[in-house]
Amino acid sequence: MTGIRKRISIGFLSIVVLLFFSGLVSLFELNHMSVDIDAILSSNRKGIELTEGMLDAIRSHDRAVIRYAVLHDTSYADSCRVRYKSFADKISQARAETSASADGLFDELDASATRLDSIVEQLFESGRVEQGLMADTLRAVEFDGRQWYDNEYLPVYNTTSNQILDVLTYAQNSLSPRAERLSRNAYRAVTPVFISLVVMIVILL
């Protein structure tokens, strides 16, 4: 009788000790999981916000260019410059808040954005829009803004927009190692409890 009681006492204490340490290990791993989840969500949210900011800025610039070049509204000349400056600032902000490993993508984006601005500035300097408005008076050829937009501006605009999306894709892919680590932590959090249950069964038997 004493032997059985001793065996039960040892088994009970062993179970308590196992549960205590397995609980500590599980809490430790769950804490790591919580940190990784917060980091993944924060990085994902920041990447989306930065991308949306750049896309909104370049679309705003595009609308001003259409008003100026296609609709021949010369009052939008200054707006084109102001909105491009806002777009360039968004790129700089995104670069500063993104990993240095993405610098190559931002270099390409900067080059395309500069090319986009250069195309619009060349149009300003040529004065073709203004001359087109006075074509009859100056006996000049009316400026075809739609053709200029489709042939010169739009291809560079599309390239720049796609490069912005490439930055977002890169940011999403950079989260993969953290997601894999999160999966490993989940297994490690459950394993101690499982082992404790197995040991409990063996002891009680």
Side-chain angles (χ1 to χ4, degrees), residues 92-105:
S92 298
Q93 178 189 358
R95 181 193 283 267
E97 297 185 21
T98 305
S99 170
S101 59
D103 280 349
L105 291 174

Side-chain angles (χ1 to χ4, degrees), residues 38-105:
D38 288 342
I40 290 172
L41 292 177
S42 177
S43 297
N44 188 51
R45 182 170 56 252
K46 183 175 70 174
I48 291 174
E49 289 174 352
L50 293 173
T51 302
E52 286 181 345
M54 289 187 288
L55 288 175
D56 288 345
I58 194 175
R59 287 166 183 163
S60 177
H61 178 259
D62 178 55
R63 289 192 294 270
V65 170
I66 290 175
R67 294 285 301 187
Y68 174 78
V70 179
L71 302 180
H72 299 173
D73 187 344
T74 55
S75 66
Y76 273 80
D78 288 338
S79 182
C80 289
R81 292 188 172 100
V82 170
R83 296 185 189 188
Y84 174 77
K85 176 65 167 55
S86 175
F87 175 48
D89 289 343
K90 291 293 184 180
I91 295 176
S92 298
Q93 178 189 358
R95 181 193 283 267
E97 297 185 21
T98 305
S99 170
S101 59
D103 280 349
L105 291 174

Side-chain angles (χ1 to χ4, degrees), residues 15-192:
I15 291 171
V16 171
V17 171
L18 283 171
L19 287 175
F20 175 76
F21 283 106
S22 65
L24 287 179
V25 173
S26 296
L27 286 174
F28 179 78
E29 295 298 340
L30 287 172
N31 181 62
H32 274 284
M33 287 175 61
S34 178
V35 171
D36 287 338
I37 289 172
D38 288 342
I40 290 172
L41 292 177
S42 177
S43 297
N44 188 51
R45 182 170 56 252
K46 183 175 70 174
I48 291 174
E49 289 174 352
L50 293 173
T51 302
E52 286 181 345
M54 289 187 288
L55 288 175
D56 288 345
I58 194 175
R59 287 166 183 163
S60 177
H61 178 259
D62 178 55
R63 289 192 294 270
V65 170
I66 290 175
R67 294 285 301 187
Y68 174 78
V70 179
L71 302 180
H72 299 173
D73 187 344
T74 55
S75 66
Y76 273 80
D78 288 338
S79 182
C80 289
R81 292 188 172 100
V82 170
R83 296 185 189 188
Y84 174 77
K85 176 65 167 55
S86 175
F87 175 48
D89 289 343
K90 291 293 184 180
I91 295 176
S92 298
Q93 178 189 358
R95 181 193 283 267
E97 297 185 21
T98 305
S99 170
S101 59
D103 280 349
L105 291 174
F106 279 104
D107 289 341
E108 294 176 1
L109 179 57
D110 278 332
S112 294
T114 301
R115 173 61 180 156
L116 196 69
D117 181 51
S118 176
I119 290 172
V120 178
E121 286 295 331
Q122 288 172 12
L123 180 62
F124 290 151
E125 293 171 3
S126 70
R128 284 186 290 169
V129 176
E130 290 75 10
Q131 291 172 13
L133 293 174
M134 298 182 291
D136 293 336
T137 304
L138 301 177
R139 295 180 182 179
V141 177
E142 184 177 357
F143 174 66
D144 189 346
R146 170 59 64 181
Q147 184 178 14
W148 173 87
Y149 180 85
D150 289 342
N151 295 341
E152 296 188 42
Y153 178 87
L154 189 58
V156 182
Y157 170 82
N158 288 336
T159 297
T160 307
S161 297
N162 288 335
Q163 288 172 338
I164 293 173
L165 296 177
D166 287 342
V167 171
L168 175 61
T169 301
Y170 178 87
Q172 297 290 336
N173 290 339
S174 67
L175 297 178
S176 295
R178 286 180 175 175
E180 291 175 1
R181 187 172 65 183
L182 182 63
S183 177
R184 291 195 298 270
N185 285 348
Y187 281 115
R188 286 200 294 264
V190 175
T191 300

